[in-house]
Amino acid sequence: MTIKEIFETMDYGPAPESSAEALAWLANHGGIAGHYINGKWDALRDDFASNNPATGEKLAGVTKGTIDEIDTAVAAARKAQPAWAKSGHKRARVLYAIARLMQKHSRLLAVMETLDNGKPIRESRDIDVPLAIRHFYHHAGFAQLMKAELPDRDPLGVCGQIIPWNFPLLMLAWKIAPALAMGNTVVLKPAEYTPLTAMVFADLCTQAGVPPGVVNIVTGDGETGAALVNADVDKIAFTGSTEVGRNIRKATAGSGKALSLELGGKSPYIVFEDADIDSAIEGLVDAIWFNQGQVCCAGSRLLVQEGIADRFYAKLKARMDGLRIGDPLDKCIDIGAIVDPVQHAQISKMVSTNTEGETYQTSAPEGCFYPPTLITGLAPASTLMQEEIFGPVLVATTFRTPAEAVQIANNTRYGLAASVWSENINLALDIAPKLAAGIVWVNGTNMMDAAAGFGGVRESGFGREGGWEGLAGYTKPKNTAKPLKKIDAFTTEDGHPANPLDRTAKLYIGGKQARPDGGYSNPVFSPRGKLLGHASIANRKDIRNAVEACNAAKGWSKTTGHLRAQILYYIAENLSARADEFANRINHMTGGRSGADEVETSIRTLFTYAAWADKYDGHVHGVPIRGVALAMKEPVGNIGILCDDAAPLAGLINAMAPAIAMGNCVILAASEPFPLAATDFYQVLETSDVPAGVVNIITGTHTELAPTLAKHLDIDAVWSFSSSELSGTIEQESAGNLKRTWVNNGTAMTPSTTDYLAASTEIKNIWIPYGE
């Protein structure tokens, strides 16, 4: 037999990892996964079982947390938080100690993760545990640097965190490390299927000297998670399904709680005809069959350029045939067990009921194992191309041109991640910014690091985890929020006849003045009862028209910062030429004498954001690969804004200027009691070369306009500085497409320039490897 024949016929022998130490650890802790509250184990009840997915055997009992137990954990966290927040250096030492202990016990963590989740030990040992450790090391540095680098930020307080079962330890690290680094305390609920590594972590917290109450872990199911969402916490950080994320958005609406959601995905894996096919196939194995495909950012939609599709599919099927599926504790295994029979049944149902395309499957052992599956020939609108399967199932279609590839890739309600494979770096870097995704990997996949933010857009959620951008979600500005009182319009008429010349202002939509759809208007009086004019009352159809105008102006986001800066300067110049007119208008409406100051402030604001238009740069993250991760700051899209009632002109410009400087299109609901400064501003816009549809201004009642703005599926974000109490309504209605919201929660907001710029942008991390 030749050497070649030996290599072709040789099979892998078993290389089992012992589970004895992990099982002994469970036995020593009573065989129960229960609560860790205020630095102690508590309430160890066998309410339901945590089973080994590969064998079905019971690993431990799990305590189902009650509302009272959640409240106890939150109270412990609340008590511990002020002292924990005092010293960044002390926090850094504790986070460093956690990282060192995790290294020391890395094999125990890896084995426990595989027993509980079913993923191959090779993945737990070589990917999950090292990356979890990396997060604690990295965020120890952030704790040390917070006082110097984030002097204007404070911790939020107590953070409620809910993590999924696909990466139990890694998701725990992603949530806990940044929260603790910024001076928060946490109450974390692991997934009901996979609580065991969280128990080991809790034990390590005690050894690391984490003060009691700083880290609290409560186990349970969905009801326990709901109790944590409704508890007295300052933030909810959730990773899981889009459906549950939408429910959490509704449940927290109007509560004032900060919220970050990392949800589902249907990520495109785009292979161009000039790609290194063998490398792309190896990357695809990692993209879809890593962790049995139970990955939110899995490259589950394969898009192959038509000219290489047949060859690519043939090579891919041959590679699938070589994948080893079986005992997850065997170091030679590529694919382990599905986490639970319920999830296995869901995957099976979605595949078996599909009647489109051609299905190719390998084999799998009996039990909770599912074979690697490829379904080709699907249309972009096919159910399996649109719905998240969350299993080892790859669906595929073809494309002809780069433009078609982008169109198909973006044809989804999700926007978490994407992979682009091409040996032409110009092509790859042309495609990456066009993809609706929070992360784009060039000639790679599933690359993640604590230094680079992770998170999505659209219905993949909002917020980032990791990097400088991830810290924002665990901090708040250093200022005291003052209660906001509703500002009402003046309504008493003085009895004098109205000016015979009509002063009914229209709306400003699509670059021109437009009559309101409803045909109604409101009178605007001075404090002394003089009729100053009428302002149109916008309705949902006017908002629809404004959104269509925004969509027609999408080219604005592709213009240069230099061009946007010139237009902002031009607006300021034209406003300055009419400063006295605007100052008098403001004084007549409000009865004050600060009109001139407000106009001057508005001009300064326009200059400020003109200056930032070409200077609010992204970052180049130093990630541990031969390459870089580019954190690109991109516009959010269409932003609906309810302007500050108290400042008729400055309130409008404070919101408009940063948004359009960053390339967004806006729909501005002008000050409700004092709208005429905004309607006069139409003429400034018309003479300042602002492209049609970039700025749209409507007038009317904020309480009637807010729900329509928040519900509209083509609006990507809603801000509210209104004196009307609208925060709960906006957050509740925003759940439809999980749009971003920035609301005042009934307080007088004083955002900084950086706050406005951050709200006007999304971070897209583009990972670019280099070298042969």
Side-chain angles (χ1 to χ4, degrees):
M1 179 177 287
T2 66
I3 297 295
K4 179 181 179 182
E5 288 172 335
I6 291 173
F7 274 104
E8 286 177 347
T9 58
M10 178 173 68
D11 197 4
Y12 285 82
E17 175 75 38
S18 172
S19 61
E21 185 178 345
L23 295 175
W25 190 94
L26 288 173
N28 290 338
H29 287 75
I32 300 291
H35 306 327
Y36 177 79
I37 297 174
N38 206 25
K40 298 178 181 178
W41 296 103
D42 190 15
L44 300 179
R45 300 186 301 271
D46 190 354
D47 292 329
F48 58 90
S50 176
N51 298 323
N52 183 336
T55 64
E57 297 174 355
K58 180 178 179 179
L59 292 169
V62 182
T63 303
K64 178 179 176 179
T66 65
I67 293 176
D68 289 343
E69 289 163 349
I70 292 289
D71 289 342
T72 300
V74 171
R78 183 72 65 193
K79 183 178 179 181
Q81 195 273 325
W84 176 248
K86 284 183 178 179
S87 172
H89 175 63
K90 289 181 179 178
R91 297 198 301 274
R93 291 173 67 96
V94 170
L95 288 167
Y96 170 78
I98 292 174
R100 290 291 291 121
L101 283 165
M102 290 177 73
Q103 284 182 315
K104 180 179 178 180
H105 297 281
S106 60
R107 189 54 65 100
L108 171 62
L109 288 166
V111 173
M112 193 73 81
E113 193 82 329
T114 288
L115 284 173
D116 209 17
N117 170 273
K119 65 177 63 186
I121 184 65
R122 181 170 52 84
E123 294 179 4
S124 298
R125 179 196 65 201
D126 298 344
I127 300 172
D128 291 25
V129 173
L131 189 51
I133 294 168
R134 159 74 172 153
H135 271 74
F136 281 97
Y137 272 123
H138 189 75
H139 285 89
F142 276 134
Q144 182 74 26
L145 297 174
M146 181 182 179
K147 185 176 181 180
E149 297 300 320
L150 299 168
D152 298 325
R153 308 294 292 185
D154 276 335
L156 290 170
V158 177
C159 299
Q161 302 177 321
I162 303 171
I163 60 174
W165 44 258
N166 55 342
F167 293 94
L169 183 66
L170 184 55
M171 293 294 101
L172 176 149
W174 281 18
K175 294 285 191 292
I176 289 182
L180 297 192
M182 293 296 99
N184 303 281
T185 53
V186 302
V187 179
L188 179 136
K189 191 200 86 70
E192 60 184 290
Y193 293 152
T194 54
L196 300 186
T197 44
M199 298 299 99
V200 178
F201 177 81
D203 200 24
L204 298 182
C205 285
T206 299
Q207 296 178 45
V210 177
V214 170
V215 173
N216 304 273
I217 294 175
V218 290
T219 53
D221 57 10
E223 292 182 3
T224 306
L228 180 54
V229 168
N230 293 320
D232 181 26
V233 296
D234 301 296
K235 174 185 173 73
I236 291 293
F238 172 78
T239 298
S241 72
T242 297
E243 179 182 0
V244 175
R246 186 174 282 112
N247 291 337
I248 291 174
R249 169 72 287 178
K250 293 177 181 178
T252 58
S255 66
K257 294 174 185 175
L259 178 64
S260 61
L261 300 173
E262 197 270 282
L263 308 176
K266 195 69 177 176
S267 301
Y269 190 97
I270 307 169
V271 183
F272 287 95
E273 58 189 5
D274 66 347
D276 180 333
I277 292 180
D278 292 330
S279 294
I281 286 174
E282 287 305 308
L284 188 52
V285 169
D286 182 47
I288 184 58
W289 292 303
F290 171 62
N291 199 30
Q292 298 73 252
Q294 299 168 134
V295 184
C296 55
C297 58
S300 55
R301 279 190 302 150
L302 172 61
L303 280 57
V304 186
Q305 198 155 13
E306 203 170 80
I308 62 168
D310 291 342
R311 185 157 58 104
F312 191 91
Y313 291 154
K315 281 178 170 282
L316 178 58
K317 290 174 183 177
R319 184 67 180 88
M320 290 171 64
D321 292 339
L323 293 173
R324 301 175 298 276
I325 181 168
D327 180 8
L329 284 173
D330 186 342
K331 301 182 190 73
C332 296
I333 288 298
D334 296 310
I335 299 176
I338 301 301
V339 71
D340 189 84
V342 172
Q343 179 66 14
H344 186 279
Q346 176 66 19
I347 298 167
S348 300
K349 180 180 178 181
M350 293 186 74
V351 174
S352 63
T353 57
N354 173 63
T355 58
E356 300 178 71
E358 298 179 4
T359 300
Y360 182 83
Q361 263 185 346
T362 64
S363 60
E366 293 293 324
C368 211
F369 297 89
Y370 197 86
T373 302
L374 169 66
I375 304 175
T376 58
L378 295 177
S382 297
T383 299
L384 294 188
M385 288 287 284
Q386 293 292 323
E387 297 300 324
E388 188 176 31
I389 302 172
F390 221 66
V393 180
L394 177 64
V395 296
T397 192
T398 60
F399 65 90
R400 293 182 178 180
T401 66
E404 185 182 8
V406 171
Q407 185 179 40
I408 296 172
N410 290 341
N411 181 19
T412 173
R413 59 195 175 102
Y414 297 110
L416 186 52
S419 292
V420 179
W421 289 79
S422 172
E423 290 298 284
N424 182 345
I425 192 64
N426 291 324
L427 174 61
L429 294 183
D430 177 57
I431 296 298
K434 296 175 180 177
L435 299 174
I439 310 147
V440 179
W441 296 295
V442 175
N443 292 338
T445 190
N446 280 343
M447 292 183 284
M448 302 169 196
D449 185 64
F454 182 93
V457 297
R458 295 180 173 176
E459 293 189 31
S460 289
F462 46 79
R464 294 292 182 267
E465 295 184 286
W468 287 100
E469 57 265 40
L471 296 181
Y474 286 100
T475 62
K476 62 184 179 183
K478 274 189 176 179
N479 55 46
T480 303
K482 298 179 181 178
L484 190 63
K485 293 183 179 179
K486 177 73 166 69
I487 300 175
D488 294 317
F490 300 113
T491 58
T492 304
E493 194 163 5
D494 62 4
H496 288 82
N499 191 322
L501 296 178
D502 181 46
R503 286 294 308 258
T504 302
K506 300 176 183 178
L507 308 176
Y508 186 74
I509 296 174
K512 59 185 179 181
Q513 298 188 45
R515 296 184 185 279
D517 173 77
Y520 291 99
S521 61
N522 271 330
V524 180
F525 297 102
S526 73
R528 296 184 177 181
K530 182 179 179 181
L531 181 63
L532 301 177
H534 287 77
S536 296
I537 301 176
N539 63 18
R540 61 184 181 84
K541 290 186 178 179
D542 297 310
I543 290 176
R544 177 199 65 190
N545 294 339
V547 172
E548 290 177 356
C550 287
N551 290 339
K554 287 295 187 185
W556 178 248
S557 66
K558 299 178 177 64
T559 58
T560 65
H562 172 65
L563 175 62
R564 296 196 294 271
Q566 287 186 76
I567 290 176
L568 283 163
Y569 282 130
Y570 198 13
I571 295 172
E573 178 186 336
N574 288 331
L575 177 60
S576 180
R578 299 175 59 184
D580 291 344
E581 174 190 340
F582 275 89
N584 290 332
R585 171 67 87 179
I586 292 169
N587 290 338
H588 288 155
M589 280 192 300
T590 63
R593 298 181 179 179
S594 61
D597 291 339
E598 185 171 334
V599 174
E600 179 60 26
T601 297
S602 299
I603 294 169
R604 288 177 180 271
T605 297
L606 289 163
F607 264 73
T608 295
Y609 291 108
W612 275 113
D614 58 357
K615 300 177 185 66
Y616 190 57
D617 300 323
H619 295 90
V620 178
H621 293 309
V623 289
I625 64 167
R626 291 188 65 203
V628 295
L630 301 181
M632 308 296 291
K633 292 177 177 175
E634 298 185 337
V636 173
N638 298 335
I639 304 178
I641 305 173
L642 296 140
C643 297
D644 183 355
D645 287 323
L649 181 65
L652 182 137
I653 289 177
N654 284 346
M656 179 202 76
I660 67 171
M662 294 297 102
N664 301 282
C665 296
V666 294
I667 303 165
L668 300 157
S671 167
E672 183 178 332
F674 312 125
L676 298 184
T679 61
D680 290 348
F681 190 64
Y682 300 169
Q683 297 169 15
V684 174
L685 293 172
E686 289 171 337
T687 57
S688 300
D689 292 342
V690 180
V694 171
V695 177
N696 304 275
I697 301 175
I698 56 178
T699 52
T701 306
H702 287 182
T703 54
E704 295 179 4
L705 297 173
T708 303
L709 289 169
K711 286 179 183 178
H712 202 295
L713 299 184
D714 251 4
I715 292 178
D716 303 294
V718 173
W719 304 350
S720 177
F721 308 102
S722 175
S723 65
S724 298
E725 181 44 64
L726 303 171
S727 301
T729 297
I730 290 169
E731 291 179 333
Q732 181 82 17
E733 300 297 350
S734 73
N737 66 342
L738 290 168
K739 59 173 60 69
R740 286 92 184 109
T741 60
W742 187 22
V743 295
N744 57 19
N745 290 301
T747 61
M749 294 172 66
T750 55
S752 67
T753 298
T754 304
D755 292 333
Y756 277 114
L757 292 170
S760 300
T761 53
E762 290 277 13
I763 302 293
K764 175 185 284 183
N765 277 285
I766 302 176
W767 289 66
I768 307 173
Y770 49 72
E772 292 293 330

